[in-house]
Amino acid sequence: MRVIASYSIKGGVGKTAASVNLAYAAASAGHETLLIDLDPQGASSFYFRLRTSKKDRGKSFFSRRGRLLKNIKGSNYRRLDILPANLAFRNFDIMLNSMQKSKKKLKQILIPLDDDYDLIILDCPPNLTLLAENIFNAADIIVVPVIPTTLSERTYDQLLGFFDSKGYKKKKIRPFFSMTQQQNRLHTDTINKMGKKHSSFLKSRIGFSQEIEKMGLHREPVLAYASKKSPVQAYRSLFNEVAKALGMK
Ligand SMILES: Nc1ncnc2c1ncn2[C@@H]1O[C@H](COP(=O)(O)OP(=O)(O)OP(=O)(O)O)[C@@H](O)[C@H]1O
Ligand SMILES: [Mg+2]
């Protein structure tokens, strides 16, 4: 079983769009896949037409054996299951803080899922908290969408600095350019500059696309409905690159 985290310190950069479409691409390529929506906003759950639960399952998420499995839902797609978000997830950091081995809890609770899934995808909320450290420990690869602008460059450097300061493995971090616009000079300059500076950038880029924006209307991954080829090819190529980096067959 492999674990992919779709993560960024920054909000609104395409983490959820990547999670949802990577999960769909993985399942359609034959991998038993589980998408875990760790963000209390519940955007991934929404895209798969699942309601976020109102029951407070935040604490049991980390503490009770078997609870995690109970809350997993099937999706409308073969080989793709979802663990929907919960409003209580907003308190993850308070809960984790009171636990032992508080930075490795997520990694621990995912271990029993190894029997059922080839791949777990974590849709992460945008912050750098104790939950984020759990994510860094649990993930085999951390894909980071980067909109090619000056501020994104800064937050990406902050992430690398955090990994350095805490001794986490930076080679887990694989950024990719997100919402790129070919006509935008700042975008092309930043892509050139950051691409040269960081050899870890995945080659696949997700261009700005109205088809992707419409996921909220369709409530499906763009891969499930897109008529235009470009976003479909872009996400499939991103999945293939990530799968290769993870040594998945
Ligand atoms: N490539 C794209 N082209 C156009 N719109 C996009 C693209 N990717 C994402 N979007 C849109 O941008 C918005 C933010 O995307 P998304 O929710 O995936 O970001 P996020 O990083 O998960 O945000 P948050 O930090 O709030 O969880 C959404 O409305 C989404 O539909
Ligand atoms: Mg999101």
Side-chain angles (χ1 to χ4, degrees):
M1 185 181 80
R2 303 283 200 277
V3 180
I4 302 174
S6 181
Y7 173 84
S8 167
I9 301 177
K10 253 180 107 54
V13 293
K15 298 180 292 295
T16 298
S19 303
V20 162
N21 288 291
L22 287 174
Y24 182 95
S28 63
H31 305 288
E32 292 295 337
T33 305
L34 172 66
L35 171 63
I36 302 185
D37 188 354
L38 288 173
D39 189 339
Q41 290 180 84
S44 274
S45 314
F46 174 82
Y47 285 138
F48 284 105
R49 299 169 183 259
L50 291 169
R51 265 178 291 151
T52 51
S53 169
K54 292 199 177 65
K55 286 188 193 152
D56 191 337
R57 296 209 181 94
K59 190 145 196 170
S60 57
F61 183 94
F62 286 113
S63 57
R64 281 191 216 157
R65 266 176 172 268
R67 260 305 167 102
L68 196 64
L69 279 170
K70 257 194 195 161
N71 295 327
I72 292 173
K73 307 263 188 279
S75 74
N76 291 334
Y77 311 101
R78 240 183 112 195
R79 292 186 286 267
L80 177 51
D81 291 346
I82 319 286
L83 182 64
N86 187 301
L87 260 188
F89 288 8
R90 72 192 190 286
N91 297 325
F92 267 164
D93 281 293
I94 301 168
M95 291 166 208
L96 285 165
N97 217 0
S98 65
M99 292 173 178
Q100 284 181 340
K101 295 193 178 162
S102 62
K103 292 180 182 171
K104 297 210 166 146
K105 274 280 159 201
L106 182 61
K107 191 179 168 86
Q108 276 174 7
I109 61 158
L110 297 184
I111 292 169
L113 300 178
D114 186 38
D115 293 341
D116 297 305
Y117 297 102
D118 303 319
L119 183 66
I120 293 185
I121 298 183
L122 307 172
D123 183 19
C124 306
N127 47 42
L128 197 45
T129 55
L130 195 48
L131 175 65
E133 290 197 68
N134 271 270
I135 290 161
F136 303 154
N137 278 317
D140 297 302
I141 193 166
I142 303 161
V143 294
V144 183
V146 176
I147 302 175
T149 60
T150 318
L151 263 187
S152 302
E153 226 183 313
R154 198 172 156 263
T155 34
Y156 186 67
D157 286 340
Q158 283 172 342
L159 179 63
L160 296 182
F162 185 81
F163 267 59
D164 275 338
S165 69
K166 298 279 182 174
Y168 290 124
K169 290 181 194 150
K170 273 196 294 194
K171 65 174 187 218
K172 279 190 184 181
I173 303 179
R174 300 301 304 271
F176 69 90
F177 290 112
S178 173
M179 299 194 212
T180 57
Q181 291 172 302
Q182 270 178 347
Q183 326 298 0
N184 184 325
R185 185 70 196 271
L186 176 65
H187 279 205
T188 48
D189 288 352
T190 311
I191 288 172
N192 285 335
K193 193 171 145 206
M194 286 190 82
K196 268 186 204 141
K197 190 171 164 197
H198 306 286
S199 58
S200 52
F201 261 90
L202 294 160
K203 287 193 180 64
S204 311
R205 288 179 201 163
I206 310 296
F208 187 90
S209 148
Q210 287 184 344
E211 292 261 21
I212 298 175
E213 264 188 317
K214 284 186 199 148
M215 281 206 319
L217 296 174
H218 289 269
R219 296 189 68 183
E220 282 185 306
V222 69
L223 292 188
Y225 65 80
S227 54
K228 282 199 187 141
K229 282 193 181 140
S230 50
V232 174
Q233 276 169 350
Y235 278 121
R236 288 216 185 272
S237 145
L238 183 66
F239 172 69
N240 290 339
E241 237 188 313
V242 172
K244 196 171 167 200
L246 287 171
M248 290 171 69
K249 294 206 182 96

